[in-house]
Amino acid sequence: MEKKTKFSVSEEKRRILLVEDDVINQEMLKESIGNVYELIIAETGEEALEIVRERFRTLSIILLDLNLPGVKGIEVLRRIKGDPAYAGLPVIVMTSDGEAEVECLTLGAVDFIPKPYPPSKVILARILRTVELYEDRDTIRWTERDHLTGLYNNDFFYHYADQLDLYHKDVPADAIVVDINHFHTVNDRYGKAYGDKVLKRIAENALRVINEIGGIACRCGPDTFLFYCPHRADHEDMLNKLSAKLEDDNPGENHVRLRMGVYSEVDKSLYVDRRFDRAKLAADSVKGNLANPIGFYDHSMHDAEVLEEQLIDDFPTAIKEKQFVVFYQPKFDVRGDEPVLISAEALVRWNHPELGMVSPGVFIPLFEKNGLIQTLDNYVWSETAAQIRDWKARFHVSVPVSVNVSRIDLFDPYLIDKLLDITEKNSLKTEELLLEITESAYTENAGVIVENVKQLRKLGFRIEMDDFGSGYSSLSMLSVLPIDALKLDMQFVRSAFRERKETRLLEAMIGLSHSFDVPTIAEGVETAEQVSALKAMGCDIIQGYYFSRPVPASEFERFVTEKQDNPVCA
Ligand code: C2E
Ligand code: MG
Ligand code: MG
């Protein structure tokens, strides 16, 4: 929504839209207020709506007669208040029908002028009070609203949700998150303007729904909408209404699909943002599930949440007490006749005193969300570097080991210093500590990351792109990207060896990686058949249960001693 620029009264008269079909009444009002305000007159509802559409930014207030020919005054009021673009325009209703008062107030009229008209100074005072009130609110509106859709923004929404709780303590409420599936592809395929149009239509639907069921709505984040409303049972109906007519007429096509997460009958002792975290969890649980687009927050999610809290609480002690253990999984060079150990990957596990061995799949995503990952990764890198040093000292052989570098680490301005510090402390060459960076990290804020990675390579660190093929590979980036190896995503390797043996994509990926002159690493390789097929496709390095699971350092030593007997330059 554009900021409404108003000039002061001394420079320009404020403009009033007078919707009145009766000429005598028009004249009376002109007489009463015409020398203070500029009057634009509409004689029918249709005319009024058209003027609102075209000139709403220049209007200060609307005086609306209820008894109009054609579209009635009540309907005009409903349409104005139902459209987020104009809903903020103050409307004063003029009527002789006392009964209509309640309905008009419910629909959003600010005040009444009874008919027959009171003396002009009463009318003037009422109008002035409303205009001033509105102008103050207009300034607030500018900050409280999302400019594209006119819905509340996050901060104000949370604040108003708190207020609703104050006034309606005993009314059970639902926290609801609505997301658009794959909104970025809508933007990519049809352009940003089209994407904006879709967002505005959702907002219009949202307002209609809110008018009907009560509560408040906001746009939070590019394609996420929040609703806080009285508890209801038919969320499906709500989702259908929100999804109505989002697109231009494309018979048979429906690109924009919404998903909904509901935290039903919220616990009001929780902070409002926590309630919406729960609704968000529920929405994420149906991500990509077109058959069932509504997820409900339930006990299993609650348990997961409690576990997460425990893990976060236990983290500092775990670091202090070295409960995190680094396991090592070998990577074999399969280019020759016999596979040769070329390096290993360090994979962390949490040996938790109560929960037993916890897999990184549980805690890494959590620690990535709250930033603890940096501490953990630093710990893993140091442990790994110390281990390489130990093997070198005891077996006189260097086994380079790759460590995982999280997306979050790449934004750490001290990343390079930390890595140099670790290698120096352990008297390692930088090429002995390989760095795995997940593919998806490259797509975000690519500039900063490419610069960091270039710098690291200049210092001798070698970079492996992890999980390649898993998502938004930016193929064009491959040519500018400084990397030393491509690690194909495990799922991707796996699907190539299902019943249908669809291996063409895999072959193409290996070909691609060779055309950039970097070796391909396949991970998650479990069978001899997979090894020979991958070899035949030209894959250079293989990691997976076929050779070994990730094992503790002491168990990994058998690979180191084999290498000691069979030294081959990495
Ligand atoms: P990743 O880096 O892609 O690691 C490969 C995962 O595949 C490991 O899971 C490994 O145990 C598993 N794997 C290896 N071979 C096979 C196989 O043949 N079959 C099957 N089914 N799985 C195999 P893990 O250890 O559970 O680690 C999961 C993910 O957690 C890793 O994926 C990595 O993204 C992350 N991670 C692990 N350790 C660290 C760490 O120290 N720091 C960071 N930032 N992330 C870590
Ligand atoms: Mg990895
Ligand atoms: Mg991987």
Side-chain angles (χ1 to χ4, degrees), residues 329 345 348-349 360 377 404 466-467 490 523-524 526 544-545 550:
Q329 186 178 35
E345 177 171 8
V348 70
R349 273 94 185 90
D377 277 346
N404 288 285
D466 205 356
D467 310 321
M490 188 153 51
E523 58 180 333
E526 297 183 350
Y545 294 174

Side-chain angles (χ1 to χ4, degrees), residues 309-376:
E309 274 164 19
Q310 181 183 359
L311 295 181
I312 293 167
D313 286 349
D314 293 348
F315 181 79
T317 320
I319 289 281
K320 216 176 334 149
E321 295 181 355
K322 294 202 164 213
Q323 292 171 9
F324 289 104
V325 193
V326 183
F327 277 36
Y328 298 87
Q329 186 178 35
K331 295 183 211 169
F332 280 88
D333 183 336
V334 294
R335 279 172 287 203
D337 292 339
E338 288 297 315
V340 175
L341 179 73
I342 188 168
S343 61
E345 177 171 8
L347 292 156
V348 70
R349 273 94 185 90
W350 186 346
N351 192 3
H352 193 283
E354 288 157 36
L355 304 168
M357 212 46 116
V358 186
S359 106
V362 176
F363 56 84
I364 297 280
L366 171 67
F367 295 161
E368 278 181 336
K369 265 195 295 191
N370 60 22
L372 291 177
I373 191 70
Q374 289 197 26
T375 314
L376 178 61

